[in-house]
């Protein structure tokens, strides 16, 4: 069973890789909405924090290698990761990178990014 993000951005959180509060790392803490989700509202003033965290993640990863691997593999096993010299930590960071880029794009395009993340 997956957990989803709904609002200005819509996506599925990566199963067993990405926490419901993954967006917290981009500078806005989720507000619990009982009983099943966190509410996020990023505004233009948050754009620099989002951009800085994206840059930090990109500098820590071989993004081209991960783009290639995940572009070619919808599903993967621990053995697939090992064979391609990819760690679970890199997968988690890569998943958060995608979320951060979605938040960044929404702020740039709309001046804000509002969404709810299922717990």
């Amino acid at each position: 069973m997956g957990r989803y993000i709904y609002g200005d951005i819509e996506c599925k959180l990566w199963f067993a890789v990405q926490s419901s509060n993954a967006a917290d790392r981009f500078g806005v803490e989720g507000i619990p909405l009982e009983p099943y989700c966190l509410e996020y509202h990023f505004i233009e003033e948050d754009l620099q924090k989002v951009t800085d965290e994206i840059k930090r993640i990109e500098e820590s990863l071989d993004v081209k290698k991960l783009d290639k691997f995940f572009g070619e593999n919808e599903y993967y096993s621990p053995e697939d990761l090992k064979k391609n010299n990819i760690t679970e930590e890199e997968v988690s960071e890569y998943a958060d990178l995608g979320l951060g880029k979605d938040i960044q794009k929404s702020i740039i395009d709309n001046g804000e990014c509002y969404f709810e993340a299922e717990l």
Side-chain angles (χ1 to χ4, degrees), residues 49-95:
K49 290 183 273 185
V50 173
T51 300
D52 290 346
E53 186 63 9
I54 288 170
K55 182 178 178 187
R56 191 197 68 72
I57 295 169
E58 287 177 332
E59 289 173 349
S60 74
L61 295 175
D62 183 346
V63 177
K64 287 182 182 180
K65 174 179 82 172
L66 294 164
D67 282 345
K68 182 178 185 322
F69 177 79
F70 289 109
E72 296 172 352
N73 299 283
E74 185 175 342
Y75 303 100
Y76 62 89
S77 68
E79 293 79 21
D80 295 329
L81 295 178
K82 186 175 181 177
K83 185 172 83 173
N84 286 279
N85 198 28
I86 298 171
T87 67
E88 293 287 341
E89 175 69 19
E90 288 173 310
V91 174
S92 179
E93 290 289 287
Y94 186 73

Side-chain angles (χ1 to χ4, degrees), residues 15-69:
F15 181 75
V17 171
Q18 200 170 27
S19 67
S20 295
N21 68 341
D24 284 5
R25 75 183 294 174
F26 296 99
V28 171
E29 189 171 319
I31 298 170
L33 296 178
E34 296 302 326
Y36 302 113
C37 64
L38 294 171
E39 176 184 60
Y40 288 92
H41 188 205
F42 291 83
I43 57 175
E44 285 187 49
E45 288 78 15
D46 298 313
L47 181 59
Q48 189 60 54
K49 290 183 273 185
V50 173
T51 300
D52 290 346
E53 186 63 9
I54 288 170
K55 182 178 178 187
R56 191 197 68 72
I57 295 169
E58 287 177 332
E59 289 173 349
S60 74
L61 295 175
D62 183 346
V63 177
K64 287 182 182 180
K65 174 179 82 172
L66 294 164
D67 282 345
K68 182 178 185 322
F69 177 79

